[in-house]
Amino acid sequence: MENRRAENQRVEKSFTVGAARIGAGPLETALYLVATPIGNLADITLRALEVLAAADLLACEDTRVSRVLLNRYGINRGLTAYHEHNAREAGPRLMAALAEGKSVALISDAGTPLVSDPGYRLVEQAVEKGIRVVAIPGPSAVLAALSASGLPTDAFLFAGFLPVKDGQRRKRLDTFRQTPASLIFFESPRRLADSLAAMAEVLGDNRPACVAREITKTFEEMRRGTLATLAAHYAEAGAPKGEIVVCIAPPQEEEITASGADTDRLLVSLASEMPASKAAGEAARMTGGRKSELYQRLLALKAQGDGD
């Protein structure tokens, strides 16, 4: 009986690549953040497969999606759901397992964990408890889209999803108008045309951009053009299918030099989303100005607004 149990454990902690069955050694106690394919299942790394097979607990965003990947590589094990809707309940259970000395692997439906998912909360708690956090790098839709976009890659800012409401979306875009870096956004197919139109209006019609669709999948598409031409195309063609990443080139050097009115507008916009000191610091980063001077200017604008 003991031999059979040991054999079962050995089989469970292994994975298949081609015709080879590969054993997965024991893992140290840690929270492992494992990047998984964004489309093509062959993009998984050997180290990722070893961790997925060996971890004591495997937490995933959607068990049905993750099961497809595990079945492809012969990893037979249970899965624990961990997503934005159950993080408050599932998180403490995972933390308890880590406290007991177990290893926990965290994966998302696709790509690198923590990018537009609640995993950062788990990492934050692990760091606070002194638990080791290990990144297992691999596929990333953000970097894949940027690298193939043809846009500058020396500096970039990933801004996730824009707000759904048009006014909030334009307000958010305005904070990036003079950011001296390529911008990267996720977007849903049905909102793509409207978002591109807002981007063209706020960031500039002639700003070069690229819409990356279905990266690494069968119908992968990289559509390049100005924001205006891309907005016009999708307004006419309708909502595309698949996962969307939008990459936008940084502004021209002459556009980055902000006028006093531009700076005031940026300060007010930032201050609506964060404390004054942080808003001044962010504005300083974006414009090259001094934080102390921008902070005083923001206070003056607030006083002026209160007096109106």
Side-chain angles (χ1 to χ4, degrees):
M1 179 65 71
E2 290 299 325
N3 289 337
R4 180 176 297 178
R5 183 177 302 155
E7 176 67 16
N8 288 337
Q9 291 175 347
R10 186 189 69 78
V11 171
E12 289 175 2
K13 293 184 178 295
S14 60
F15 59 95
T16 300
V17 177
R21 189 73 182 173
I22 303 172
L27 293 176
E28 296 181 2
T29 301
L31 173 60
Y32 295 84
L33 310 176
V34 185
T36 54
I38 58 178
N40 191 321
L41 295 183
D43 289 336
I44 193 75
T45 69
L46 290 175
R47 187 184 180 203
L49 290 173
E50 184 175 9
V51 171
L52 295 182
D56 295 316
L57 287 176
L58 177 51
C60 63
E61 196 171 355
D62 187 324
T63 57
R64 296 165 300 180
V65 173
S66 297
R67 180 61 63 192
V68 174
L69 174 66
L70 298 187
N71 288 344
R72 165 70 180 271
Y73 292 100
I75 300 175
N76 304 310
R77 48 138 353 115
L79 293 166
T80 298
Y82 177 80
H83 46 73
E84 62 179 341
H85 301 297
N86 79 340
R88 289 187 178 180
E89 296 75 29
R93 292 196 293 269
L94 296 176
M95 286 302 302
L98 288 165
E100 293 172 2
K102 294 182 178 179
S103 57
V104 175
L106 177 67
I107 61 177
S108 63
D109 283 350
T112 302
L114 277 68
V115 179
S116 290
D117 74 31
Y120 76 91
R121 298 175 192 147
L122 198 62
V123 171
E124 184 179 45
Q125 293 167 6
V127 171
E128 288 177 353
K129 298 293 185 181
I131 296 171
R132 186 182 177 208
V133 178
V134 180
I136 310 298
S140 165
V142 173
L143 295 180
L146 178 63
S147 63
S149 68
L151 302 177
T153 59
D154 56 330
F156 62 91
L157 185 152
F158 170 64
F161 285 94
L162 288 168
V164 175
K165 294 184 178 179
D166 186 62
Q168 295 176 355
R169 179 166 50 208
R170 291 171 186 270
K171 189 174 184 180
R172 181 68 170 155
L173 284 168
D174 192 57
T175 66
F176 303 126
R177 193 165 57 86
Q178 296 195 27
T179 300
S182 292
L183 304 175
I184 307 172
F185 299 92
F186 286 160
E187 192 49 277
S188 74
R190 62 185 180 86
R191 291 198 299 268
L192 180 60
D194 289 340
S195 288
L196 287 169
M199 291 170 179
E201 183 174 328
V202 176
L203 302 177
D205 287 352
N206 295 321
R207 187 83 72 95
C210 175
V211 174
R213 184 176 68 84
E214 292 290 83
I215 302 172
T216 78
K217 299 178 184 178
T218 302
F219 299 104
E220 176 179 296
E221 178 186 33
M222 306 294 289
R223 183 172 292 275
R224 303 173 181 86
T226 65
L227 284 173
T229 59
L230 289 172
H233 169 79
Y234 287 104
E236 181 179 350
K241 294 182 179 180
E243 304 292 331
I244 304 291
V245 182
V246 179
C247 300
I248 305 171
Q252 296 296 315
E253 188 172 346
E254 59 270 17
E255 296 179 83
I256 298 177
T257 304
S259 67
D262 289 335
T263 301
D264 288 353
R265 184 170 63 172
L266 176 62
L267 283 168
V268 171
S269 178
L270 289 170
S272 68
E273 300 182 359
M274 60 188 73
S277 178
K278 187 174 181 180
E282 183 67 11
R285 185 187 68 80
M286 295 171 67
T287 66
R290 291 189 177 185
K291 178 180 177 180
S292 59
E293 295 176 358
L294 291 168
Y295 180 71
Q296 292 302 320
R297 178 58 185 164
L298 179 55
L299 293 181
L301 289 170
K302 284 191 170 185
Q304 181 181 340
D306 293 339
D308 289 342

